[in-house]
Amino acid sequence: MFSNTRRCLLSVLAVLALTACSPDKPKFNAIDITGADYAKGFTLTDHMGQSRRLSDFKGKVVVLFFGYTQCPDVCPTSMVELAEVKRLLGADGDKLQGVFVTVDPARDTAELLKAYMANFDPTFVAFIPTPEQLAVVAKDYKIYYKKVDGKTSTSYTVDHSAGSYVYDTQGNLRLYSRYGVGPQVLAQDIQTLLRATP
């Protein structure tokens, strides 16, 4: 019969042995949502008129943002920062895929989105859901969007969630990056993902 002290010591040693054998979990600045059962992907039409899936970008770290071209501040700031993240990654910049999903499909045409993406980085891809598709994708991604009437029927704005989802090179959802963290912080997280993902 083991004494209580021996039992406790053996329990501690077993825990330490398991800890020593398990790989270190990467530490991120963004919210780690690895294993989440939402935001699994979609099939939508991109700004080139092609039907594509989010999984088409496997092999790259995907940063996914919801916004619209007439957004006065949050969207252009986020896209400028994402382009800066790509620059900060240096040689690994080509392993980053920026993805933009419009929450204003009524005004954001393919031509407009093509020009919008080119303003930031021509490799970034924009998707244009139908209003029905947008409702489904927004629910799956737990994002908020709401039209706010302006002075005319076409001068409205759209309130929307401002964070970004980050997928690793295997297409797995890993992080939720809050708006305003800055390009250096996001670049650091992406470098961590690139090191951690085979």
Side-chain angles (χ1 to χ4, degrees):
M1 286 273 298
F2 285 122
S3 69
N4 284 339
T5 306
R6 267 196 189 155
R7 275 200 201 94
C8 289
L9 183 59
L10 287 174
S11 296
V12 168
L13 289 173
V15 168
L16 288 174
L18 285 172
T19 305
C21 293
S22 63
D24 288 339
K25 188 177 178 185
K27 291 180 174 57
F28 299 105
N29 300 296
I31 302 167
D32 189 339
I33 53 174
T34 302
D37 62 352
Y38 59 92
K40 296 289 190 182
F42 52 72
T43 302
L44 296 171
T45 302
D46 71 12
H47 67 269
M48 302 302 286
Q50 296 178 308
S51 178
R52 299 176 78 176
R53 296 170 300 171
L54 194 60
S55 58
D56 291 344
F57 302 110
K58 271 191 178 179
K60 295 189 176 190
V61 170
V62 172
V63 178
L64 169 65
F65 179 77
F66 289 84
Y68 68 113
T69 62
Q70 296 188 48
C71 177
D73 43 33
V74 171
C75 302
T77 300
S78 296
M79 298 305 290
V80 164
E81 288 189 352
L82 191 53
E84 176 63 8
V85 167
K86 185 175 178 179
R87 189 192 69 76
L88 289 170
L89 290 172
D92 285 333
D94 62 348
K95 295 176 183 171
L96 171 67
Q97 180 62 59
V99 173
F100 182 92
V101 179
T102 180
V103 293
D104 186 15
R107 292 184 297 187
D108 283 347
T109 63
E111 294 75 18
L112 189 57
L113 282 164
K114 186 176 180 181
Y116 193 72
M117 293 297 103
N119 283 333
F120 307 107
D121 189 290
T123 68
F124 292 172
V125 176
F127 285 92
I128 314 165
T130 64
E132 295 76 21
Q133 288 172 326
L134 178 57
V136 172
V137 171
K139 183 177 180 184
D140 183 45
Y141 278 75
K142 302 181 183 296
I143 67 132
Y144 168 82
Y145 70 101
K146 183 180 179 182
K147 181 178 173 181
V148 179
D149 291 334
K151 292 181 180 178
T152 68
S153 60
T154 57
S155 67
Y156 60 86
T157 58
V158 183
D159 286 345
H160 62 90
S161 303
S164 298
Y165 286 101
V166 183
Y167 295 78
D168 66 22
T169 56
Q170 300 301 307
N172 301 308
L173 178 62
R174 300 297 300 275
L175 306 172
Y176 182 77
S177 180
R178 289 190 178 103
Y179 171 70
V181 297
Q184 291 84 2
V185 172
L186 183 54
Q188 187 180 30
D189 279 348
I190 290 171
Q191 285 170 331
T192 302
L193 272 182
L194 288 170
R195 286 194 300 268
T197 312

